[in-house]
mmCIF file of all heavy atoms in Angstrom:
data_model
loop_
_atom_site.group_PDB
_atom_site.id
_atom_site.type_symbol
_atom_site.label_atom_id
_atom_site.label_comp_id
_atom_site.label_asym_id
_atom_site.label_seq_id
_atom_site.Cartn_x
_atom_site.Cartn_y
_atom_site.Cartn_z
ATOM 1 N N GLY A 16 153.354 84.328 117.236
ATOM 2 C CA GLY A 16 152.806 85.543 117.822
ATOM 3 C C GLY A 16 152.115 86.563 116.950
ATOM 4 O O GLY A 16 151.312 85.978 116.003
ATOM 5 N N LEU A 19 151.949 85.480 113.232
ATOM 6 C CA LEU A 19 150.891 84.521 112.942
ATOM 7 C C LEU A 19 149.552 85.100 112.706
ATOM 8 O O LEU A 19 148.774 84.823 111.902
ATOM 9 C CB LEU A 19 150.853 83.417 114.097
ATOM 10 C CG LEU A 19 149.767 82.383 113.819
ATOM 11 C CD1 LEU A 19 149.928 81.502 112.599
ATOM 12 C CD2 LEU A 19 149.774 81.338 115.027
ATOM 13 N N ASP A 20 149.250 86.060 113.696
ATOM 14 C CA ASP A 20 147.936 86.756 113.545
ATOM 15 C C ASP A 20 147.819 87.460 112.195
ATOM 16 O O ASP A 20 146.683 87.469 111.592
ATOM 17 C CB ASP A 20 147.798 87.815 114.755
ATOM 18 C CG ASP A 20 147.663 87.042 116.029
ATOM 19 O OD1 ASP A 20 147.329 85.973 115.968
ATOM 20 O OD2 ASP A 20 147.920 87.721 117.050
ATOM 21 N N LEU A 23 147.196 85.134 109.390
ATOM 22 C CA LEU A 23 145.926 84.573 109.432
ATOM 23 C C LEU A 23 144.839 85.675 108.822
ATOM 24 O O LEU A 23 143.910 85.252 108.016
ATOM 25 C CB LEU A 23 145.409 84.230 110.819
ATOM 26 C CG LEU A 23 146.061 82.949 111.483
ATOM 27 C CD1 LEU A 23 145.721 82.727 112.833
ATOM 28 C CD2 LEU A 23 145.698 81.687 110.572
ATOM 29 N N ALA A 24 145.174 86.872 109.172
ATOM 30 C CA ALA A 24 144.357 87.968 108.663
ATOM 31 C C ALA A 24 144.564 88.068 107.162
ATOM 32 O O ALA A 24 143.449 88.311 106.565
ATOM 33 C CB ALA A 24 144.656 89.320 109.373
ATOM 34 N N ALA A 27 142.568 85.445 105.612
ATOM 35 C CA ALA A 27 141.150 85.666 105.731
ATOM 36 C C ALA A 27 140.689 86.663 104.639
ATOM 37 O O ALA A 27 139.697 86.465 103.996
ATOM 38 C CB ALA A 27 140.726 86.082 107.102
ATOM 39 N N LEU A 28 141.637 87.551 104.445
ATOM 40 C CA LEU A 28 141.141 88.674 103.444
ATOM 41 C C LEU A 28 141.239 87.982 102.047
ATOM 42 O O LEU A 28 140.387 88.394 101.184
ATOM 43 C CB LEU A 28 142.299 89.757 103.498
ATOM 44 C CG LEU A 28 142.006 91.031 102.628
ATOM 45 C CD1 LEU A 28 140.609 91.546 102.852
ATOM 46 C CD2 LEU A 28 143.124 91.970 102.687
ATOM 47 N N LEU A 30 140.655 84.978 101.222
ATOM 48 C CA LEU A 30 139.591 84.102 101.155
ATOM 49 C C LEU A 30 138.227 84.939 100.902
ATOM 50 O O LEU A 30 137.342 84.486 100.229
ATOM 51 C CB LEU A 30 139.338 83.335 102.387
ATOM 52 C CG LEU A 30 140.343 82.088 102.706
ATOM 53 C CD1 LEU A 30 140.203 81.405 104.068
ATOM 54 C CD2 LEU A 30 140.121 80.994 101.548
ATOM 55 N N ALA A 31 138.234 86.032 101.609
ATOM 56 C CA ALA A 31 137.067 86.948 101.489
ATOM 57 C C ALA A 31 136.859 87.434 100.026
ATOM 58 O O ALA A 31 135.598 87.649 99.758
ATOM 59 C CB ALA A 31 137.138 88.044 102.553
ATOM 60 N N ILE A 32 137.888 87.603 99.349
ATOM 61 C CA ILE A 32 137.686 88.291 98.055
ATOM 62 C C ILE A 32 137.830 87.171 96.945
ATOM 63 O O ILE A 32 137.937 87.522 95.788
ATOM 64 C CB ILE A 32 138.699 89.485 97.852
ATOM 65 C CG1 ILE A 32 140.088 88.890 97.957
ATOM 66 C CG2 ILE A 32 138.287 90.568 98.676
ATOM 67 C CD1 ILE A 32 141.192 90.087 97.741
ATOM 68 N N LEU A 33 137.917 85.867 97.311
ATOM 69 C CA LEU A 33 137.784 84.983 96.222
ATOM 70 C C LEU A 33 136.506 84.887 95.525
ATOM 71 O O LEU A 33 135.466 85.074 96.174
ATOM 72 C CB LEU A 33 138.207 83.460 96.910
ATOM 73 C CG LEU A 33 139.571 83.127 97.160
ATOM 74 C CD1 LEU A 33 139.702 81.753 97.768
ATOM 75 C CD2 LEU A 33 140.409 83.189 95.934
ATOM 76 N N PRO A 34 136.451 84.610 94.266
ATOM 77 C CA PRO A 34 135.225 84.609 93.485
ATOM 78 C C PRO A 34 134.372 83.446 93.963
ATOM 79 O O PRO A 34 134.880 82.328 94.536
ATOM 80 C CB PRO A 34 135.591 84.522 92.071
ATOM 81 C CG PRO A 34 137.001 83.979 92.101
ATOM 82 C CD PRO A 34 137.701 84.434 93.351
ATOM 83 N N ALA A 35 133.090 83.432 93.640
ATOM 84 C CA ALA A 35 132.247 82.266 93.965
ATOM 85 C C ALA A 35 132.611 80.954 93.557
ATOM 86 O O ALA A 35 132.477 79.935 94.271
ATOM 87 C CB ALA A 35 130.810 82.687 93.691
ATOM 88 N N LEU A 38 135.046 79.365 95.835
ATOM 89 C CA LEU A 38 134.503 79.054 97.251
ATOM 90 C C LEU A 38 133.357 77.977 97.264
ATOM 91 O O LEU A 38 133.464 77.181 98.118
ATOM 92 C CB LEU A 38 133.966 80.341 97.871
ATOM 93 C CG LEU A 38 134.946 81.337 98.178
ATOM 94 C CD1 LEU A 38 134.323 82.731 98.675
ATOM 95 C CD2 LEU A 38 135.930 80.961 99.274
ATOM 96 N N TRP A 41 133.856 74.043 98.142
ATOM 97 C CA TRP A 41 134.207 73.503 99.296
ATOM 98 C C TRP A 41 133.647 74.089 100.655
ATOM 99 O O TRP A 41 133.553 73.451 101.642
ATOM 100 C CB TRP A 41 135.777 73.456 99.410
ATOM 101 C CG TRP A 41 136.438 74.818 99.301
ATOM 102 C CD1 TRP A 41 136.705 75.427 98.221
ATOM 103 C CD2 TRP A 41 136.930 75.544 100.323
ATOM 104 N NE1 TRP A 41 137.334 76.700 98.506
ATOM 105 C CE2 TRP A 41 137.520 76.780 99.837
ATOM 106 C CE3 TRP A 41 137.016 75.499 101.749
ATOM 107 C CZ2 TRP A 41 137.964 77.745 100.605
ATOM 108 C CZ3 TRP A 41 137.408 76.458 102.438
ATOM 109 C CH2 TRP A 41 138.015 77.595 101.952
ATOM 110 N N THR A 42 133.449 75.404 100.588
ATOM 111 C CA THR A 42 132.957 76.108 101.697
ATOM 112 C C THR A 42 131.735 75.566 102.284
ATOM 113 O O THR A 42 131.355 75.467 103.611
ATOM 114 C CB THR A 42 132.858 77.641 101.557
ATOM 115 O OG1 THR A 42 132.166 77.939 100.518
ATOM 116 C CG2 THR A 42 134.270 78.326 101.407
ATOM 117 N N VAL A 45 132.386 72.420 104.168
ATOM 118 C CA VAL A 45 132.914 72.760 105.542
ATOM 119 C C VAL A 45 131.932 73.268 106.478
ATOM 120 O O VAL A 45 131.845 72.790 107.733
ATOM 121 C CB VAL A 45 134.120 73.717 105.251
ATOM 122 C CG1 VAL A 45 134.644 74.091 106.733
ATOM 123 C CG2 VAL A 45 135.317 73.114 104.409
ATOM 124 N N ALA A 46 131.099 74.170 105.998
ATOM 125 C CA ALA A 46 129.946 74.617 106.838
ATOM 126 C C ALA A 46 129.077 73.544 107.382
ATOM 127 O O ALA A 46 128.483 73.569 108.516
ATOM 128 C CB ALA A 46 129.289 75.694 106.022
ATOM 129 N N VAL A 49 130.746 71.663 110.174
ATOM 130 C CA VAL A 49 130.963 72.439 111.314
ATOM 131 C C VAL A 49 129.490 72.527 112.016
ATOM 132 O O VAL A 49 129.494 72.579 113.246
ATOM 133 C CB VAL A 49 131.442 73.889 111.105
ATOM 134 C CG1 VAL A 49 131.326 74.776 112.218
ATOM 135 C CG2 VAL A 49 132.876 73.819 110.608
ATOM 136 N N ILE A 53 126.505 71.507 116.364
ATOM 137 C CA ILE A 53 125.635 72.439 116.992
ATOM 138 C C ILE A 53 124.142 72.169 116.636
ATOM 139 O O ILE A 53 123.214 72.842 117.202
ATOM 140 C CB ILE A 53 125.869 73.944 116.592
ATOM 141 C CG1 ILE A 53 125.585 74.291 115.112
ATOM 142 C CG2 ILE A 53 127.296 74.212 116.962
ATOM 143 C CD1 ILE A 53 125.687 75.661 114.834
ATOM 144 N N ILE A 56 122.031 71.258 119.588
ATOM 145 C CA ILE A 56 121.668 72.506 120.533
ATOM 146 C C ILE A 56 120.746 73.428 119.881
ATOM 147 O O ILE A 56 119.891 73.896 120.549
ATOM 148 C CB ILE A 56 123.002 73.232 120.765
ATOM 149 C CG1 ILE A 56 124.146 72.228 121.334
ATOM 150 C CG2 ILE A 56 122.788 74.301 121.823
ATOM 151 C CD1 ILE A 56 125.502 72.768 121.375
ATOM 152 N N MET A 57 120.804 73.503 118.502
ATOM 153 C CA MET A 57 119.927 74.383 117.866
ATOM 154 C C MET A 57 118.398 73.756 118.053
ATOM 155 O O MET A 57 117.448 74.456 118.053
ATOM 156 C CB MET A 57 120.187 74.410 116.303
ATOM 157 C CG MET A 57 121.475 75.428 116.158
ATOM 158 S SD MET A 57 122.108 75.313 114.402
ATOM 159 C CE MET A 57 120.687 75.962 113.475
ATOM 160 N N GLY A 60 117.279 74.575 121.316
ATOM 161 C CA GLY A 60 116.918 76.088 121.197
ATOM 162 C C GLY A 60 115.617 76.358 120.593
ATOM 163 O O GLY A 60 114.749 77.089 121.057
ATOM 164 N N MET A 61 115.378 75.538 119.494
ATOM 165 C CA MET A 61 114.136 75.810 118.716
ATOM 166 C C MET A 61 112.931 75.272 119.500
ATOM 167 O O MET A 61 111.811 75.908 119.565
ATOM 168 C CB MET A 61 114.057 75.212 117.367
ATOM 169 C CG MET A 61 115.138 75.707 116.361
ATOM 170 S SD MET A 61 114.782 77.468 115.949
ATOM 171 C CE MET A 61 113.299 77.432 114.950
ATOM 172 N N LEU A 63 112.702 75.147 122.769
ATOM 173 C CA LEU A 63 112.525 76.127 123.743
ATOM 174 C C LEU A 63 111.796 77.266 123.304
ATOM 175 O O LEU A 63 110.894 77.898 123.950
ATOM 176 C CB LEU A 63 113.903 76.546 124.356
ATOM 177 C CG LEU A 63 113.836 77.341 125.693
ATOM 178 C CD1 LEU A 63 113.281 76.453 126.726
ATOM 179 C CD2 LEU A 63 115.331 77.712 126.065
ATOM 180 N N ARG A 64 112.233 77.781 122.073
ATOM 181 C CA ARG A 64 111.532 78.933 121.401
ATOM 182 C C ARG A 64 110.069 78.774 121.123
ATOM 183 O O ARG A 64 109.283 79.644 121.332
ATOM 184 C CB ARG A 64 112.260 79.215 120.174
ATOM 185 C CG ARG A 64 111.815 80.445 119.309
ATOM 186 C CD ARG A 64 112.536 80.497 118.037
ATOM 187 N NE ARG A 64 111.941 81.566 117.239
ATOM 188 C CZ ARG A 64 112.455 82.115 116.305
ATOM 189 N NH1 ARG A 64 113.774 81.903 116.053
ATOM 190 N NH2 ARG A 64 111.899 83.016 115.564
ATOM 191 N N ILE A 67 108.255 78.951 124.287
ATOM 192 C CA ILE A 67 107.891 80.262 124.825
ATOM 193 C C ILE A 67 107.059 80.983 123.789
ATOM 194 O O ILE A 67 106.080 81.714 124.321
ATOM 195 C CB ILE A 67 109.306 80.982 125.089
ATOM 196 C CG1 ILE A 67 110.116 80.313 126.044
ATOM 197 C CG2 ILE A 67 109.050 82.510 125.295
ATOM 198 C CD1 ILE A 67 111.584 80.819 126.059
ATOM 199 N N ARG A 68 107.270 80.944 122.543
ATOM 200 C CA ARG A 68 106.605 81.624 121.619
ATOM 201 C C ARG A 68 106.075 80.718 120.469
ATOM 202 O O ARG A 68 106.839 80.459 119.573
ATOM 203 C CB ARG A 68 107.326 82.772 121.022
ATOM 204 C CG ARG A 68 106.524 83.689 120.090
ATOM 205 C CD ARG A 68 107.427 84.867 119.648
ATOM 206 N NE ARG A 68 107.879 85.751 120.647
ATOM 207 C CZ ARG A 68 108.593 86.687 120.448
ATOM 208 N NH1 ARG A 68 109.212 87.077 119.303
ATOM 209 N NH2 ARG A 68 108.935 87.484 121.566
ATOM 210 N N LEU B 11 130.332 77.298 120.118
ATOM 211 C CA LEU B 11 129.108 76.588 119.396
ATOM 212 C C LEU B 11 127.873 76.821 120.070
ATOM 213 O O LEU B 11 126.873 76.894 119.371
ATOM 214 C CB LEU B 11 129.665 75.070 119.329
ATOM 215 C CG LEU B 11 130.850 74.736 118.428
ATOM 216 C CD1 LEU B 11 131.220 73.299 118.514
ATOM 217 C CD2 LEU B 11 130.517 75.149 117.013
ATOM 218 N N ILE B 12 127.942 76.702 121.269
ATOM 219 C CA ILE B 12 126.506 76.911 122.085
ATOM 220 C C ILE B 12 125.978 78.254 121.784
ATOM 221 O O ILE B 12 124.818 78.412 121.444
ATOM 222 C CB ILE B 12 126.720 76.720 123.602
ATOM 223 C CG1 ILE B 12 127.059 75.228 123.960
ATOM 224 C CG2 ILE B 12 125.478 77.148 124.287
ATOM 225 C CD1 ILE B 12 127.435 74.925 125.278
ATOM 226 N N ALA B 15 124.653 78.396 118.280
ATOM 227 C CA ALA B 15 123.323 77.565 118.174
ATOM 228 C C ALA B 15 122.263 78.439 118.807
ATOM 229 O O ALA B 15 121.113 78.471 118.264
ATOM 230 C CB ALA B 15 123.489 76.298 119.019
ATOM 231 N N ALA B 18 121.139 81.043 116.442
ATOM 232 C CA ALA B 18 120.506 80.656 115.272
ATOM 233 C C ALA B 18 119.104 80.092 115.639
ATOM 234 O O ALA B 18 118.341 79.837 114.739
ATOM 235 C CB ALA B 18 121.367 79.506 114.626
ATOM 236 N N SER B 19 118.839 79.893 116.954
ATOM 237 C CA SER B 19 117.482 79.282 117.376
ATOM 238 C C SER B 19 116.773 80.158 118.303
ATOM 239 O O SER B 19 115.850 80.809 117.963
ATOM 240 C CB SER B 19 117.737 77.941 117.784
ATOM 241 O OG SER B 19 118.582 77.906 118.962
ATOM 242 N N PHE B 20 117.107 80.181 119.582
ATOM 243 C CA PHE B 20 116.534 80.814 120.614
ATOM 244 C C PHE B 20 116.542 82.382 120.513
ATOM 245 O O PHE B 20 115.639 82.983 121.204
ATOM 246 C CB PHE B 20 117.105 80.115 121.854
ATOM 247 C CG PHE B 20 116.459 80.709 123.211
ATOM 248 C CD1 PHE B 20 115.111 80.400 123.494
ATOM 249 C CD2 PHE B 20 117.094 81.594 124.062
ATOM 250 C CE1 PHE B 20 114.478 80.961 124.601
ATOM 251 C CE2 PHE B 20 116.455 82.046 125.068
ATOM 252 C CZ PHE B 20 115.137 81.676 125.467
ATOM 253 N N GLY B 22 115.969 84.460 118.483
ATOM 254 C CA GLY B 22 114.994 85.241 117.814
ATOM 255 C C GLY B 22 113.865 85.853 118.768
ATOM 256 O O GLY B 22 113.375 86.919 118.471
ATOM 257 N N ILE B 23 113.749 85.197 119.931
ATOM 258 C CA ILE B 23 112.676 85.771 120.820
ATOM 259 C C ILE B 23 113.077 86.911 121.557
ATOM 260 O O ILE B 23 112.293 87.565 122.319
ATOM 261 C CB ILE B 23 112.054 84.658 121.692
ATOM 262 C CG1 ILE B 23 113.139 84.092 122.668
ATOM 263 C CG2 ILE B 23 111.468 83.451 121.013
ATOM 264 C CD1 ILE B 23 112.543 83.310 123.738
ATOM 265 N N VAL B 51 143.583 87.849 119.489
ATOM 266 C CA VAL B 51 143.235 88.015 118.013
ATOM 267 C C VAL B 51 142.906 86.582 117.454
ATOM 268 O O VAL B 51 141.818 86.407 116.803
ATOM 269 C CB VAL B 51 144.302 88.614 117.314
ATOM 270 C CG1 VAL B 51 143.909 88.665 115.767
ATOM 271 C CG2 VAL B 51 144.505 89.955 117.660
ATOM 272 N N ARG B 52 143.565 85.636 117.891
ATOM 273 C CA ARG B 52 143.293 84.224 117.328
ATOM 274 C C ARG B 52 141.955 83.688 117.757
ATOM 275 O O ARG B 52 141.276 83.072 116.880
ATOM 276 C CB ARG B 52 144.473 83.277 117.696
ATOM 277 C CG ARG B 52 145.525 83.173 116.657
ATOM 278 C CD ARG B 52 146.768 82.455 117.228
ATOM 279 N NE ARG B 52 147.641 83.523 117.610
ATOM 280 C CZ ARG B 52 148.804 83.270 118.279
ATOM 281 N NH1 ARG B 52 149.112 82.071 118.573
ATOM 282 N NH2 ARG B 52 149.625 84.325 118.517
ATOM 283 N N MET B 55 139.302 85.392 115.831
ATOM 284 C CA MET B 55 139.147 85.018 114.374
ATOM 285 C C MET B 55 138.581 83.649 114.358
ATOM 286 O O MET B 55 137.881 83.399 113.336
ATOM 287 C CB MET B 55 140.613 85.022 113.746
ATOM 288 C CG MET B 55 141.087 86.493 113.662
ATOM 289 S SD MET B 55 142.746 86.442 112.857
ATOM 290 C CE MET B 55 142.379 86.175 111.152
ATOM 291 N N LEU B 60 133.813 80.737 112.454
ATOM 292 C CA LEU B 60 132.640 79.968 112.746
ATOM 293 C C LEU B 60 131.310 80.679 112.304
ATOM 294 O O LEU B 60 130.359 80.209 111.784
ATOM 295 C CB LEU B 60 132.589 79.527 114.103
ATOM 296 C CG LEU B 60 133.501 78.479 114.610
ATOM 297 C CD1 LEU B 60 133.478 78.306 116.185
ATOM 298 C CD2 LEU B 60 133.291 77.081 113.825
ATOM 299 N N LEU B 63 131.028 80.574 108.605
ATOM 300 C CA LEU B 63 130.592 79.306 108.136
ATOM 301 C C LEU B 63 129.114 79.006 108.285
ATOM 302 O O LEU B 63 128.462 78.369 107.538
ATOM 303 C CB LEU B 63 131.406 78.222 108.916
ATOM 304 C CG LEU B 63 132.802 78.027 108.368
ATOM 305 C CD1 LEU B 63 133.589 77.109 109.260
ATOM 306 C CD2 LEU B 63 132.851 77.310 106.940
ATOM 307 N N LEU B 64 128.637 79.619 109.290
ATOM 308 C CA LEU B 64 127.138 79.462 109.593
ATOM 309 C C LEU B 64 126.185 80.498 109.086
ATOM 310 O O LEU B 64 125.073 80.720 109.593
ATOM 311 C CB LEU B 64 126.948 79.138 111.096
ATOM 312 C CG LEU B 64 127.612 77.921 111.583
ATOM 313 C CD1 LEU B 64 127.521 77.784 113.130
ATOM 314 C CD2 LEU B 64 127.071 76.705 110.982
ATOM 315 N N ARG B 69 122.431 83.562 96.681
ATOM 316 C CA ARG B 69 122.840 84.139 95.569
ATOM 317 C C ARG B 69 121.551 84.288 94.532
ATOM 318 O O ARG B 69 120.530 83.678 94.829
ATOM 319 C CB ARG B 69 123.868 83.271 94.779
ATOM 320 C CG ARG B 69 125.098 83.058 95.729
ATOM 321 C CD ARG B 69 126.057 82.161 94.988
ATOM 322 N NE ARG B 69 126.788 82.878 93.817
ATOM 323 C CZ ARG B 69 127.379 82.292 92.870
ATOM 324 N NH1 ARG B 69 127.349 81.033 92.892
ATOM 325 N NH2 ARG B 69 127.822 82.889 91.958
ATOM 326 N N LEU B 75 125.978 80.356 99.288
ATOM 327 C CA LEU B 75 127.410 80.621 99.134
ATOM 328 C C LEU B 75 128.023 80.940 100.525
ATOM 329 O O LEU B 75 127.513 81.908 101.169
ATOM 330 C CB LEU B 75 127.872 81.594 98.077
ATOM 331 C CG LEU B 75 129.301 81.847 98.087
ATOM 332 C CD1 LEU B 75 130.021 80.730 97.554
ATOM 333 C CD2 LEU B 75 129.550 83.159 97.156
ATOM 334 N N VAL B 76 128.937 80.130 100.961
ATOM 335 C CA VAL B 76 129.579 80.447 102.309
ATOM 336 C C VAL B 76 130.884 81.359 101.938
ATOM 337 O O VAL B 76 131.802 80.670 101.244
ATOM 338 C CB VAL B 76 129.910 79.178 103.115
ATOM 339 C CG1 VAL B 76 130.651 79.485 104.369
ATOM 340 C CG2 VAL B 76 128.586 78.483 103.458
ATOM 341 N N VAL B 77 130.967 82.455 102.333
ATOM 342 C CA VAL B 77 132.108 83.397 102.129
ATOM 343 C C VAL B 77 132.876 83.450 103.462
ATOM 344 O O VAL B 77 132.324 83.798 104.467
ATOM 345 C CB VAL B 77 131.669 84.800 101.632
ATOM 346 C CG1 VAL B 77 132.888 85.598 101.457
ATOM 347 C CG2 VAL B 77 130.970 84.744 100.309
ATOM 348 N N LEU B 78 134.190 82.902 103.356
ATOM 349 C CA LEU B 78 134.933 83.086 104.677
ATOM 350 C C LEU B 78 135.709 84.307 104.666
ATOM 351 O O LEU B 78 136.344 84.684 103.669
ATOM 352 C CB LEU B 78 135.957 81.810 104.612
ATOM 353 C CG LEU B 78 135.258 80.410 104.440
ATOM 354 C CD1 LEU B 78 136.286 79.445 104.401
ATOM 355 C CD2 LEU B 78 134.336 80.172 105.663
ATOM 356 N N GLY B 79 135.639 84.982 105.768
ATOM 357 C CA GLY B 79 136.524 86.133 105.800
ATOM 358 C C GLY B 79 135.829 87.411 106.458
ATOM 359 O O GLY B 79 136.360 88.089 107.345
ATOM 360 N N LEU B 83 137.596 88.672 109.811
ATOM 361 C CA LEU B 83 138.326 90.000 109.846
ATOM 362 C C LEU B 83 137.783 90.951 110.706
ATOM 363 O O LEU B 83 138.276 91.676 111.433
ATOM 364 C CB LEU B 83 138.490 90.543 108.468
ATOM 365 C CG LEU B 83 139.482 89.817 107.540
ATOM 366 C CD1 LEU B 83 139.309 90.295 106.005
ATOM 367 C CD2 LEU B 83 140.881 89.947 107.971
ATOM 368 N N VAL B 125 134.311 94.703 104.029
ATOM 369 C CA VAL B 125 134.896 93.586 103.323
ATOM 370 C C VAL B 125 133.889 93.122 102.162
ATOM 371 O O VAL B 125 134.265 92.948 100.972
ATOM 372 C CB VAL B 125 135.053 92.366 104.248
ATOM 373 C CG1 VAL B 125 135.423 91.124 103.306
ATOM 374 C CG2 VAL B 125 136.302 92.674 105.100
ATOM 375 N N LEU B 128 134.140 95.665 99.456
ATOM 376 C CA LEU B 128 135.354 95.371 98.628
ATOM 377 C C LEU B 128 135.018 94.289 97.718
ATOM 378 O O LEU B 128 135.387 94.294 96.490
ATOM 379 C CB LEU B 128 136.492 95.104 99.473
ATOM 380 C CG LEU B 128 137.840 94.810 98.953
ATOM 381 C CD1 LEU B 128 138.382 95.944 98.155
ATOM 382 C CD2 LEU B 128 138.813 94.183 100.023
ATOM 383 N N ARG B 129 134.325 93.345 98.206
ATOM 384 C CA ARG B 129 134.083 92.074 97.363
ATOM 385 C C ARG B 129 133.103 92.523 96.271
ATOM 386 O O ARG B 129 133.382 91.998 95.103
ATOM 387 C CB ARG B 129 133.373 91.043 98.320
ATOM 388 C CG ARG B 129 133.309 89.639 97.694
ATOM 389 C CD ARG B 129 132.686 88.592 98.632
ATOM 390 N NE ARG B 129 132.184 87.455 97.953
ATOM 391 C CZ ARG B 129 133.030 86.556 97.510
ATOM 392 N NH1 ARG B 129 134.318 86.670 97.812
ATOM 393 N NH2 ARG B 129 132.510 85.550 96.772
ATOM 394 N N LEU B 132 135.229 94.247 93.528
ATOM 395 C CA LEU B 132 136.084 93.397 92.794
ATOM 396 C C LEU B 132 135.275 92.309 92.044
ATOM 397 O O LEU B 132 135.778 92.077 90.765
ATOM 398 C CB LEU B 132 137.067 92.650 93.835
ATOM 399 C CG LEU B 132 138.019 93.615 94.621
ATOM 400 C CD1 LEU B 132 138.914 92.812 95.550
ATOM 401 C CD2 LEU B 132 138.971 94.217 93.613
ATOM 402 N N LEU B 133 134.357 91.753 92.561
ATOM 403 C CA LEU B 133 133.617 90.719 91.936
ATOM 404 C C LEU B 133 132.126 91.348 91.761
ATOM 405 O O LEU B 133 131.352 91.314 92.576
ATOM 406 C CB LEU B 133 133.534 89.520 92.758
ATOM 407 C CG LEU B 133 134.785 88.976 93.345
ATOM 408 C CD1 LEU B 133 134.623 88.025 94.363
ATOM 409 C CD2 LEU B 133 135.653 88.462 92.183
ATOM 410 N N GLU B 136 128.607 89.507 92.703
ATOM 411 C CA GLU B 136 128.359 89.175 94.133
ATOM 412 C C GLU B 136 127.323 90.267 94.719
ATOM 413 O O GLU B 136 127.600 91.446 94.538
ATOM 414 C CB GLU B 136 129.649 89.074 94.967
ATOM 415 C CG GLU B 136 130.469 87.915 94.456
ATOM 416 C CD GLU B 136 129.761 86.609 94.691
ATOM 417 O OE1 GLU B 136 128.983 86.438 95.606
ATOM 418 O OE2 GLU B 136 129.969 85.573 93.993
#
Side-chain angles (χ1 to χ4, degrees):
Chain A
L19 176 60
D20 294 339
L23 290 174
L28 184 61
L30 286 172
I32 56 175
L33 279 179
L38 292 172
W41 60 279
T42 53
V45 175
V49 170
I53 69 167
I56 310 169
M57 283 170 65
M61 290 304 285
L63 194 62
R64 177 183 173 159
I67 294 171
R68 188 177 292 175
Chain B
L11 290 176
I12 290 172
S19 56
F20 181 70
I23 64 166
V51 176
R52 261 165 267 170
M55 286 179 82
L60 289 173
L63 283 168
L64 295 176
R69 302 178 70 200
L75 177 67
V76 176
V77 178
L78 304 177
L83 289 169
V125 170
L128 178 68
R129 190 176 166 78
L132 295 174
L133 312 166
E136 292 295 329

